[in-house]
Amino acid sequence: MADKKLVAEITSMDEDFTQWYTDVCIKADLVSYSNIKGCMVIKPAGYAIWELIQKHLDARFKATGVQNAYLPMFIPESLLQKEKDHVEGFAPEVAWVTHGGLEPLTERYCVRPTSETLFCDYYKGEIHSYKDLPQVLNQWCSVVRWEKETRPFLRSREFLWQEGHTAHATFEEAEERTQQMLNVYADFLENDMAIPVIKGQKTDKEKFAGAEATYTVEALMHDGRALQSATSHNFGDGFAKAFGIQYAGKDNQLHYVNQTSWGLTTRTIGAMIMVHGDNSGLVVPPKIAPIQVVVIPIQQKKEGVLEAANKIAESLSAFRVKVDETDRTPGFKFAEQEMRGIPVRVEIGPKDLEAGKCVLCRRDTREKIECAIADVPTKMAELLDQIQNDMFDRAKKHLQAHTFEAHNKEEFAEAFKETKGFVKAMWCGCRECEDKIKEEFNVTSRCIPFEQDTLSDKCVICGKPAKKMVYWGRAY
Ligand SMILES: [Zn+2]
């Protein structure tokens, strides 16, 4: 049976989560491998999800005054070199262009790994007076980072993202924008992707190359690993000093601008897969599902069935809906709907038709609901909302059930014998203790959460007075 085969080919997530993830990416038709090592083809089913992510996020950006622009994909080496920490952070993973046609270039160009330096170069020419501030731009583009190990969506040599870059008169304004954008990401992830997040600040060790402060939203995957889902950075005037970006203030004096950047990538699709997916495939939250409802006629050659299926689909024109009228078996169509994570399927056969009803089947819980055909549009609106909310609630419960506390080193070691989730523990603020944790337990600090707890007054590693509570975890 073709339908059995489709499902049997996914590895169980409890058996091998990594293989399950790869299987879902391929079987749900999101990606295929390309001949360029470490780069993937994002297929239509995957790209349609990205388009909806873009749509929702872009609307949120614009509501805060962001405008979109586009800068070149090449960065001259001399430009990349201008900010010392930044170049040190990115140099090991940039790709270089050395020739233009057959001619060697006098200066090599890197393919952007991120565009702070280009925006700085651009802003230097645009900003002269306080009247030119703030500058609040974003670009949707791809970037290249020459990763050694790659996985679909999570890590690839070229990936899609948006990168916002802003310039402000004061540090406080830059800080406000940095936090504002972090909140935009958290709101998007929780409300549209149904992914609960922990908001916090990165430690100095984990912060972005060249940033004064990096804020992050961290999510927990089904296997207990963390995924940094978006970041927002406050650069202070560090880049401005390196690039000479100054403006004349109301006081007629020259001042350096303060800058921010913030980004979210196609990794978000990986997060969606690993937070919501199950052993039958993807489960896509209704708000970002390219197809929200599929109508599947049963015994579609019987008189009136296909017509009824199409009528139901027409009555659902407020949603993203399709009718599967291919000649494959209903069983195959069900398995495919489950694999692709389409939130609701509508089943309609000759007997249903006679009774004036159909069956709505939720992807997330597999619950089947009988519904009068006339009531389908109203019921569908409620059901999609319900699914969206239930998916968030389940993910939130998983996050809470997999967040642990460690009060001392023994408890910390015990908690990380296996990768079960986040561990909250007190930290003295020393880089040495953070390095030790990485070395001994292969664990990194995920963030210093904005919502602090005091679990004890001592650092779990050195026993010295604790300064902060930190979320620790093993991350993708
Ligand atoms: Zn310590």
Side-chain angles (χ1 to χ4, degrees):
M1 284 281 290
D3 51 326
K4 286 234 175 71
K5 201 171 154 225
L6 187 71
V7 176
E9 281 173 10
I10 313 190
T11 308
S12 151
M13 60 160 69
D14 311 304
E15 217 169 273
D16 183 348
F17 193 81
T18 305
Q19 191 58 46
W20 167 84
Y21 175 81
T22 307
D23 289 352
V24 170
C25 285
I26 301 294
K27 292 283 163 194
D29 231 10
L30 302 181
V31 294
S32 73
Y33 293 107
S34 74
N35 274 320
I36 299 99
K37 194 175 178 298
C39 297
M40 62 179 171
V41 175
I42 304 179
K43 296 175 80 169
Y47 200 79
I49 294 173
W50 180 240
E51 284 179 316
L52 284 161
I53 290 174
Q54 285 183 305
K55 188 180 147 202
H56 286 284
L57 208 49
D58 206 61
R60 281 180 165 80
F61 289 166
K62 285 177 179 154
T64 74
V66 175
Q67 291 183 293
N68 286 330
Y70 188 81
L71 273 66
M73 72 182 301
F74 303 115
I75 308 174
E77 187 167 18
S78 55
L79 210 56
L80 191 69
Q81 300 281 6
K82 278 197 174 179
E83 213 284 338
K84 196 179 117 293
D85 291 339
H86 188 66
V87 68
E88 274 175 18
F90 282 98
E93 54 182 33
V94 294
W96 293 102
V97 177
T98 57
H99 285 68
L102 300 175
E103 299 295 318
L105 299 177
T106 50
E107 178 182 14
R108 54 182 191 161
Y109 293 166
C110 85
V111 183
R112 64 179 165 222
T114 177
S115 304
E116 276 74 14
T117 53
L118 288 175
F119 273 90
C120 283
D121 195 45
Y122 167 69
Y123 282 151
K124 186 178 160 56
E126 289 290 304
I127 298 168
H128 306 289
S129 138
Y130 68 90
K131 291 173 194 156
D132 302 323
L133 294 171
Q135 296 274 342
V136 185
L137 299 183
N138 173 66
Q139 73 172 346
W140 291 95
C141 63
S142 75
V143 287
V144 169
R145 295 179 190 175
W146 217 251
E147 304 276 3
K148 288 193 180 75
E149 279 181 41
T150 59
R151 295 187 62 197
F153 297 116
L154 299 177
R155 208 168 279 278
S156 52
R157 286 184 174 169
E158 182 188 9
F159 60 86
L160 304 178
W161 78 345
Q162 60 67 218
E163 49 177 321
H165 296 269
T166 70
H168 306 268
T170 64
F171 183 87
E172 290 69 30
E173 281 173 45
E175 180 63 20
E176 196 181 316
R177 175 56 75 169
T178 312
Q179 299 217 16
Q180 179 182 28
M181 299 321 283
L182 190 80
N183 288 328
V184 164
Y185 290 134
D187 182 59
F188 162 73
L189 288 162
E190 297 203 326
N191 289 304
D192 293 347
M193 305 292 292
I195 297 175
V197 293
I198 307 292
K199 289 194 276 188
Q201 185 170 0
K202 287 284 183 192
T203 60
D204 281 349
K205 177 183 161 90
E206 299 290 332
K207 75 182 183 186
F208 184 82
E212 289 275 327
T214 290
Y215 301 108
T216 178
V217 277
E218 298 282 326
L220 193 68
M221 305 299 103
H222 199 83
D223 64 344
R225 281 184 184 259
L227 191 121
Q228 175 182 302
S229 304
T231 48
S232 187
H233 318 286
N234 185 348
F235 294 120
D237 59 7
F239 274 95
K241 282 181 172 157
F243 283 79
I245 314 170
Q246 288 180 300
Y247 70 95
K250 286 180 186 161
D251 58 2
N252 275 324
Q253 305 286 312
L254 281 177
H255 303 272
Y256 287 107
V257 298
N258 284 267
Q259 289 168 275
T260 81
S261 81
W262 23 276
L264 177 142
T265 79
T266 32
R267 286 192 113 193
T268 311
I269 298 174
M272 180 202 80
I273 297 167
M274 291 192 290
V275 168
H276 300 304
D278 64 21
N279 281 328
S280 302
L282 276 184
V283 183
V284 184
K287 284 189 185 169
I288 56 143
I291 299 167
Q292 295 170 308
V293 183
V294 58
V295 183
I296 299 179
I298 318 285
Q299 294 182 280
Q300 63 186 24
K301 296 213 169 90
K302 289 261 167 84
E303 202 194 329
V305 172
L306 200 52
E307 201 189 349
N310 279 307
K311 263 198 179 149
I312 291 173
E314 272 166 38
S315 77
L316 293 173
S317 62
F319 309 98
R320 296 184 286 273
V321 60
K322 82 161 201 183
V323 180
D324 188 347
E325 48 184 277
T326 58
D327 58 6
R328 299 168 306 172
T329 66
F332 185 95
K333 294 176 185 179
F334 294 171
E336 187 179 66
Q337 172 254 333
E338 291 182 352
M339 181 71 72
R340 294 192 174 214
I342 298 170
V344 179
R345 76 170 180 251
V346 180
E347 303 171 11
I348 172 108
K351 278 183 195 157
D352 301 313
L353 189 54
E354 230 168 74
K357 60 184 183 54
C358 59
V359 177
L360 315 182
C361 185
R362 287 173 67 153
R363 170 62 183 89
D364 63 330
T365 58
R366 292 201 166 73
E367 188 193 347
K368 290 193 169 199
I369 303 150
E370 280 202 348
C371 183
I373 290 174
D375 297 341
V376 170
T378 320
K379 182 70 195 165
M380 193 60 74
E382 290 168 17
L383 195 55
L384 290 171
D385 275 351
Q386 186 74 48
I387 293 171
Q388 183 81 30
N389 294 336
D390 289 354
M391 286 178 73
F392 177 79
D393 290 345
R394 272 195 301 278
K396 182 95 182 176
K397 275 190 193 130
H398 178 266
L399 170 66
Q400 285 163 344
H402 294 81
T403 303
F404 307 92
E405 291 180 1
H407 299 87
N408 52 51
K409 198 173 171 183
E410 290 68 40
E411 285 181 20
F412 195 88
E414 186 59 34
F416 279 115
K417 266 189 181 163
E418 293 169 52
T419 304
K420 292 186 206 140
F422 286 126
V423 174
K424 300 196 278 189
M426 301 309 290
W427 176 52
C428 62
C430 281
R431 175 69 181 258
E432 287 73 32
C433 287
E434 197 178 357
D435 286 342
K436 220 172 186 177
I437 285 176
K438 166 95 186 158
E439 215 173 278
E440 271 188 54
F441 306 107
N442 190 27
V443 162
T444 52
S445 66
R446 303 317 310 154
C447 71
I448 304 162
F450 294 151
E451 279 180 34
Q452 282 283 312
D453 262 346
T454 307
L455 307 177
S456 81
D457 53 5
K458 291 191 187 74
C459 172
V460 286
I461 297 302
C462 67
K464 285 183 190 151
K467 289 206 178 104
K468 297 281 180 193
M469 185 192 78
V470 173
Y471 271 79
W472 305 88
R474 297 204 173 100
Y476 279 99

